Amino acid sequence: MIKKLTVAALTLATTTALYAKPTLTFYCGSTMAGAITEVSKQFGKVNNCDVKVIKGGSGALWKQLKNKKDGDLYLPGSDSYRKKFLDTGILKDGEYVGFNQAVIIVQKGNPKGIKNLEDLVSEDNKVFLCDANSGSIGKNTESVLKKYKGQDFVDNAYDNTVDVGKDSTSVANAVKTKEADMAIVWRATAVKGLNTKVLDIVEIDTKYAPKKKLVINLLKYSKHPELAKKLMKFTSSEKGQKIMKKFGFVK
């Protein structure tokens, strides 16, 4: 009886394995997570697979996937991550799917009359910025401020913050809840969902805040590399771009 049950269990396990849908693990910066989740759902239906989207700060996600040595795809908030880590051999094929750009956000109607980056160092303003070692917007913020007036200005701006966030979403929430008067986030975060009803954008000169390419990276750990590459191509296709545009990203 035990032998029969064992054979039956093995048969069931084998059958389940044969017909189980493949699952892709997609490490995605929090700003792009909404768009990638929707893209992945459409892709999964057509390709009979599941996509597990793990969101968070780009830097934190890199540490996570590197330590766990798993995952199929990685989309950080800037292609600077690809440039920096390509030599590790962990990142393989790349697919350009849109761009990010840093902007200043303020409360709706801009009650403090915030005009530019100079307002970041005014003691009259409550400032909230992202940790440069956590989210891609933090790394980019540091770069923007350094281009604007050098390292001293970077230090002064961060010294003037009420706190620092882990990613673009957490930084935006500080302004939405009026914990802060101004912050720097990715443009897509500022226009996401209901944010446009409570936030306004103050543009940053593009010579300080250039467009940052978004590149999906195939990981060397991928158990389904061909399927993963297919998802990369789908995201950059006309159908995928229609979704990306809805969330504030365009190629």
Side-chain angles (χ1 to χ4, degrees):
M1 185 65 170
I2 294 175
K3 187 175 181 180
K4 286 182 180 180
L5 286 173
T6 304
V7 171
L10 286 172
T11 302
L12 178 61
T14 303
T15 303
T16 302
L18 284 172
Y19 292 99
K21 291 195 293 185
T23 298
L24 296 176
T25 299
F26 198 139
Y27 289 94
C28 179
S30 57
T31 302
M32 295 77 66
I36 291 302
T37 297
E38 190 165 326
V39 167
S40 298
K41 284 180 181 177
Q42 284 202 19
F43 178 81
K45 288 177 182 177
V46 176
N47 293 275
N48 193 35
C49 68
D50 292 321
V51 182
K52 180 183 179 183
V53 178
I54 300 174
K55 67 178 181 178
S58 300
L61 289 177
W62 170 255
K63 291 176 184 176
Q64 184 179 345
L65 70 88
K66 187 180 177 184
N67 290 336
K68 292 180 69 176
K69 294 181 171 57
D70 78 342
D72 299 278
L73 297 163
Y74 172 53
L75 175 58
S78 166
D79 65 337
S80 62
Y81 284 83
R82 179 171 176 83
K83 293 172 183 175
K84 182 177 181 180
F85 298 125
L86 194 58
D87 287 345
T88 64
I90 295 173
L91 306 180
K92 297 300 183 182
D93 295 11
E95 187 74 28
Y96 170 52
V97 295
F99 71 84
N100 254 339
Q101 187 176 27
V103 295
I104 295 169
I105 55 167
V106 297
Q107 293 162 22
K108 197 70 179 177
N110 195 4
K112 299 297 291 286
I114 289 160
K115 297 178 180 178
N116 52 42
L117 293 172
E118 206 64 42
D119 289 298
L120 290 168
V121 295
S122 169
E123 293 182 357
D124 294 331
N125 298 321
K126 292 183 290 184
V127 176
F128 203 101
L129 299 174
C130 183
D131 183 349
N133 296 311
S134 176
S136 59
I137 189 58
K139 187 177 180 181
N140 189 242
T141 295
E142 194 173 60
S143 173
V144 168
L145 302 186
K146 197 167 186 177
K147 285 179 184 176
Y148 179 62
K149 275 195 174 179
Q151 188 59 47
D152 284 347
F153 189 83
V154 177
D155 296 339
N156 290 337
Y158 274 91
D159 285 345
N160 196 42
T161 59
V162 295
D163 205 348
V164 292
K166 62 180 181 179
D167 54 29
S168 193
T169 301
S170 63
V171 174
N173 285 339
V175 180
K176 287 165 65 176
T177 58
K178 300 186 178 180
E179 180 184 349
D181 300 314
M182 67 182 298
I184 293 179
V185 299
W186 291 122
R187 181 183 299 278
T189 300
V191 302
K192 182 170 64 176
L194 299 176
N195 284 357
T196 53
K197 293 188 176 183
V198 293
L199 300 175
D200 278 339
I201 289 175
V202 175
E203 299 286 351
I204 302 173
D205 194 313
T206 53
K207 67 183 176 184
Y208 306 123
K211 293 177 179 178
K212 290 291 183 178
K213 288 184 177 180
L214 293 173
V215 178
I216 299 178
N217 299 274
L218 176 69
L219 299 176
K220 77 171 186 178
Y221 310 121
S222 179
K223 296 180 176 65
H224 309 284
E226 293 308 314
L227 186 62
K229 284 191 279 187
K230 197 172 179 180
L231 175 51
M232 292 165 65
K233 292 292 183 184
F234 179 79
T235 309
S236 67
S237 72
E238 186 176 346
K239 286 184 178 179
Q241 283 298 297
K242 188 175 180 180
I243 296 171
M244 296 294 285
K245 186 177 181 180
K246 185 174 77 171
F247 283 83
F249 305 104
V250 287
K251 284 169 67 173

